[in-house]
Amino acid sequence: MSANDNAQATAAVPETSVEAWSGKDKADENFPVGSLLIRRELREHVHAYYAFARNADDIADSATLSPADKIARLNIMEEVLTGASAEGAPSAARLRASLAQSGVTSIHARELLVAFRQDAVQNRYADWAALMDYCRYSAAPVGRYVLDLHGEDKATWPASDALCASLQVLNHLQDCAGDLRSLDRCYIPQDMLAKAGCKTDDLARGETTPALRAVFDQMLNLTEALNEAAAALPGLVRARRLRVETAIITRLARRLTARLRHGDPLASRVKLSKVDFITAATLSLGRFA
């Protein structure tokens, strides 16, 4: 895949705006988005990027739009982002202006659209490699954008990619039941389910079976390896405030991994607590500030 994999779509879209905000915002995320640790003059750019990603994600996750409609809307978002169209996607226009001011390339936003177009037409993943390829476009661009915005070296990208992939997989595990019920979408690798004697529909149960627990644990084992690779990130980041933020996020990823080890995502949403955030911030400030 590449950021130029624009599927053809002929579905009609609204003339005013293709975007339809779901109501979710930064407060609904597991991890800090444009927090106070980000330098004041950069926060508006992070918020512009987040708004673009949020609106594109809402299109891809719509339960009422057809796949063709979703792709047509996402294509318009990219056209506005790149300046090929002047209007039709306010968050894309805002991000275009932000990128022009900050000097950051549009590739990190355009690559997100690759994943969202994929979400419009694909609802199953064959194996871990396929899931990691999806994360390369759905998650890695976020970390790369923030690092580029701060002028960090590309040597930070591998550790950042690992962290972003970890966060994405953890989110998939948190939401696995809801994704299946609302969108018939399953990010749990099909080969892992089959080897354990499970079916995708088992995710719709009210509680996790022992066999499905083994699948979740296998995914968490692989996620722990991502967390280990991500642990190097804070030490590679030059900007002090961003270094602290990445340290906090890597700690939170490890904590959420542990919570999912002992929690049942089919029975209720396993999530971080205020204590988790406070502990991660305190430890990270003490070591990396």
Side-chain angles (χ1 to χ4, degrees):
M1 288 187 293
S2 74
N4 294 315
D5 288 340
N6 291 355
Q8 295 297 316
T10 58
V13 295
E15 294 181 1
T16 53
S17 174
V18 300
E19 300 171 0
W21 182 47
S22 67
K24 293 182 179 179
D25 61 20
K26 298 184 292 295
D28 296 293
E29 304 297 335
N30 279 321
F31 301 90
V33 177
S35 76
L36 293 177
L37 284 170
I38 298 295
R39 296 205 318 264
R40 182 186 297 274
E41 69 272 20
L42 299 182
R43 280 178 224 154
E44 63 178 294
H45 298 302
V46 174
H47 294 161
Y49 184 87
Y50 175 82
F52 174 87
R54 177 75 271 159
N55 278 281
D57 192 27
D58 288 343
I59 290 171
D61 286 353
S62 171
T64 57
L65 294 174
S66 70
D69 283 334
K70 291 178 181 181
I71 291 173
R73 288 168 183 255
L74 293 169
N75 286 348
I76 287 176
M77 289 193 73
E78 181 162 20
E79 290 168 3
V80 174
L81 175 69
T82 59
S85 294
E87 57 186 25
S91 73
R94 176 187 174 191
L95 181 56
R96 183 179 72 232
S98 168
L99 295 174
Q101 182 180 351
S102 68
V104 177
T105 174
S106 67
I107 189 63
H108 306 309
R110 290 164 48 224
E111 285 187 339
L112 287 179
L113 296 177
V114 173
F116 295 141
R117 291 187 188 100
Q118 184 168 317
D119 278 333
V121 297
Q122 182 174 337
N123 58 8
R124 299 290 186 274
Y125 287 80
D127 50 31
W128 183 257
L131 184 58
M132 288 297 98
D133 183 68
Y134 171 78
C135 290
R136 163 63 185 84
Y137 292 93
S138 68
V142 178
R144 293 183 179 191
Y145 167 78
V146 174
L147 291 165
D148 269 7
L149 181 64
H150 284 78
E152 296 292 337
D153 194 276
K154 288 184 179 180
T156 58
W157 283 15
S160 175
D161 290 355
L163 177 60
C164 291
S166 169
L167 301 181
Q168 183 75 89
V169 173
L170 293 170
N171 184 250
H172 290 332
L173 285 168
Q174 286 177 296
D175 296 341
C176 60
D179 284 342
L180 186 65
R181 292 192 187 102
S182 62
L183 298 167
D184 187 32
R185 188 183 292 163
C186 177
Y187 294 103
I188 311 301
Q190 295 293 297
D191 65 338
M192 292 186 186
L193 289 171
K195 187 174 180 179
C198 299
K199 297 180 180 178
T200 300
D201 287 347
D202 289 340
L203 295 171
R205 295 172 176 267
E207 60 182 8
T208 300
T209 64
L212 196 53
R213 180 73 256 176
V215 173
F216 292 164
D217 285 344
Q218 183 179 1
M219 292 182 69
L220 290 170
N221 289 341
L222 293 166
T223 302
E224 285 182 348
L226 292 172
N227 290 339
E228 290 177 7
L233 181 59
L236 298 172
V237 172
R238 296 188 300 265
R240 182 179 63 85
R241 295 166 72 101
L242 182 61
R243 184 164 63 244
V244 173
E245 173 131 321
T246 57
I248 290 172
I249 295 174
T250 55
R251 287 184 181 278
L252 291 174
R254 291 196 295 272
R255 183 58 185 155
L256 184 52
T257 302
R259 284 197 175 276
L260 283 162
R261 282 281 189 194
H262 303 290
D264 185 349
L266 301 192
S268 62
R269 196 169 197 270
V270 179
K271 58 185 180 180
L272 296 165
S273 68
K274 288 183 179 179
V275 173
D276 291 323
F277 281 91
I278 292 171
T279 301
T282 301
L283 292 173
S284 298
L285 284 165
R287 181 177 179 186
F288 291 102

